[in-house]
Amino acid sequence: MTRMTLDWKVVIDAADPHAQAGFWSAALGYEIEDNSPLVERLLGLGAVPEAITTTAHGRRAWLDLAAVRHPDDPFEPESGTGLGRRLLFQRVPEPKTVKNRLHLDLHAGPERRDAEVARLEKLGAKVLREVAEQGGTWTLLSDPEGNEFCVQ
């Protein structure tokens, strides 16, 4: 039997998807997806109402969705949707209330870890604690909406 691989993305609930996209774009060096050609086309056709759109990062965007993608990965030119390493932020009404069941680990390496943590703090991350265990050393942080992530 031939095994097929699947494309995937990580979807993260957010109160403000566009602010989260801005933070993670800067944190990872990723590009904020430009969905404006699709949004403008669908608005022009009358296929979507103006109320589900906004202006974010200087262009027309979906009100409740924003994504970032690796700059080297392919994307659909018609929609701006990334086809590789991608984080999608979706607006949800409820706030984060408990520890994440899934989180990102950013690999800076021991020689760059402290500098990366300081850079991320300037972007709006908060250091929660330093961890030193037999398996390694890392810093646990939270993004501007309180989602935990680690820098190793």
Side-chain angles (χ1 to χ4, degrees), residues 79-126:
S79 68
T81 301
L83 302 172
R85 294 162 280 188
R86 182 173 187 246
L87 300 176
L88 174 69
F89 302 94
Q90 65 180 3
R91 186 181 313 276
V92 297
E94 61 278 351
K96 179 184 177 296
T97 57
V98 296
K99 184 183 182 302
N100 298 3
R101 294 286 307 245
L102 173 78
H103 68 266
L104 300 179
D105 280 353
L106 309 184
H107 298 270
E111 67 286 345
R112 286 187 29 222
R113 186 170 57 88
D114 291 342
E116 280 301 307
V117 167
R119 184 181 72 83
L120 293 164
E121 283 184 289
K122 288 178 185 171
L123 293 173
K126 290 182 177 56

Side-chain angles (χ1 to χ4, degrees), residues 20-63:
Q20 285 292 86
F23 171 82
W24 284 102
S25 171
L28 298 173
Y30 275 34
E31 293 182 4
I32 297 172
E33 288 185 355
D34 180 2
N35 304 128
S36 63
L38 176 63
V39 173
E40 295 288 354
R41 184 167 61 81
L42 293 175
L43 282 170
L45 293 171
V48 298
E50 183 85 24
I52 68 167
T53 70
T54 190
T55 299
H57 308 287
R59 55 191 177 228
R60 180 69 76 175
W62 301 115
L63 178 64

